[in-house]
Amino acid sequence: MVTTPVPARPRLLRRLAPVLGLLVLSPVCAEYLSGYDGNVGRPLVLLGGLLFLAPLYGAVAVLIREAARRTGRGWPTILLLALAMGVVQSGLVDQSLFNPAYRDIAYWDDMRASTLVPGTGVSAELALSFLFGHMAWSFAAPIALVEALAPRDLARRPWLGWFGTSVLALLYAAAALLILDDHLDTEGFVAAPGQLVGAAAVAAALVVAAFALPRRAANGAPTPEDAARVRGARGRAPSPWAVGATVLAAMAVNVFLPQTWPGVAAEAALLAALAVLLFTASRREGWSGRHVVLVAGAPLLVTAAFSFATTPLGDPVSPLAKYGSNGFFTLLVVALVAWGYHRARVAA
């Protein structure tokens, strides 16, 4: 009788390195990269903020990735779970999706009122921005970069056992409760029961859809059905640089779309076309980790570039502190994308 040897489980320290990287990178991409926060230019405060933001964002990113990889699923599941958690974050935790005066931002009502959906208390423009933003910036892009930087034998394997997963879930629950309690104290706003139930129902539906998708092979390779589809696809995938440049241009155009109903329609059409393009290209022969790295890096690079033109909330920040912070996070993203691309090219 011939038995197939089971690969030894990588040592704990090797598995913890990418977990820690994702715990830090996710909140950096979600909160610090855009340069909107009033604490920009205060490195010690930003560093201390990770104590709360790492559980709130990083733990979610790790849990999303673990759920997808542990059940043998790929990027469609990761993206749906990331979208579901975007609904949870903005609809249930900080409730910014429904708040008519969030954080007393002076221009909040102008952004919200122009595309307010009657009877829901939801702005179509803000909903699209929040949900896509959380999916792409908070979760999906950091996951893609950290997986590209992880050792090859760990890139598609689970990093945590059930104990580590449970600890991160508890840390996230504690952070979410703290944020919710803080917003209740400072905002004085609570979403209506119907709004909360609606957000919870949408999030639950997205989770169900994520796990209804087919599994991949146990080793992370395509199933025979996947391989057949790839062989049957016409032509090869475009070059990684062409795909990355397309995503970069789309994200840059998206920044300048007006916050009106025509702007929302244009944004939705742009994102839908981009999704179809990426899905089609990723099913073709020649799609590689280099494509994934550049697709993940493109929205981060656009956000980093526009951070220099962003005015932070709160008290004025000195130009040196602001631009120094913007420059640091921009160089960090550029370095991670370049490093991830290099590792993906070597692996290919």
Side-chain angles (χ1 to χ4, degrees), residues 99-165:
N99 196 332
Y102 184 64
R103 295 183 63 175
D104 293 326
I105 298 174
Y107 48 84
W108 184 262
D109 188 61
D110 293 335
M111 292 193 301
R112 184 174 178 271
S114 59
T115 59
L116 193 62
V117 180
T120 66
V122 176
S123 161
E125 159 62 23
L126 292 180
L128 192 57
S129 298
F130 286 160
L131 301 187
F132 178 73
H134 278 306
M135 181 184 74
W137 280 266
S138 301
F139 306 128
I143 290 172
L145 288 182
V146 173
E147 282 195 342
L149 297 173
R152 290 182 62 185
D153 61 324
L154 290 178
R156 297 296 181 270
R157 296 181 63 176
W159 295 335
L160 295 174
W162 291 111
F163 176 77
T165 302

Side-chain angles (χ1 to χ4, degrees), residues 274-287:
L274 194 60
V276 171
L277 184 150
L278 293 177
F279 179 80
T280 303
S282 68
R283 311 301 285 177
R284 293 187 172 185
E285 185 180 358
W287 183 267

Side-chain angles (χ1 to χ4, degrees), residues 135-222:
M135 181 184 74
W137 280 266
S138 301
F139 306 128
I143 290 172
L145 288 182
V146 173
E147 282 195 342
L149 297 173
R152 290 182 62 185
D153 61 324
L154 290 178
R156 297 296 181 270
R157 296 181 63 176
W159 295 335
L160 295 174
W162 291 111
F163 176 77
T165 302
S166 300
V167 169
L168 285 187
L170 290 174
L171 286 175
Y172 168 69
L177 289 174
L178 284 174
I179 295 297
L180 176 59
D181 182 66
D182 178 70
H183 278 281
L184 291 177
D185 288 339
T186 59
E187 300 286 331
F189 170 82
V190 180
Q195 293 173 325
L196 297 176
V197 170
V202 170
L206 289 169
V207 171
V208 171
F211 289 110
L213 295 173
R215 296 172 181 263
R216 298 174 70 84
N219 61 355

Side-chain angles (χ1 to χ4, degrees), residues 297-311:
L300 300 181
L301 292 173
V302 169
T303 298
F306 280 95
S307 70
F308 290 89
T310 299
T311 301

Side-chain angles (χ1 to χ4, degrees), residues 9-20 154 158-161:
R9 190 179 188 186
R11 292 186 177 183
L12 178 62
L13 289 180
R14 292 185 72 239
R15 289 185 284 114
L16 283 182
V19 170
L20 294 175
L154 290 178
W159 295 335
L160 295 174

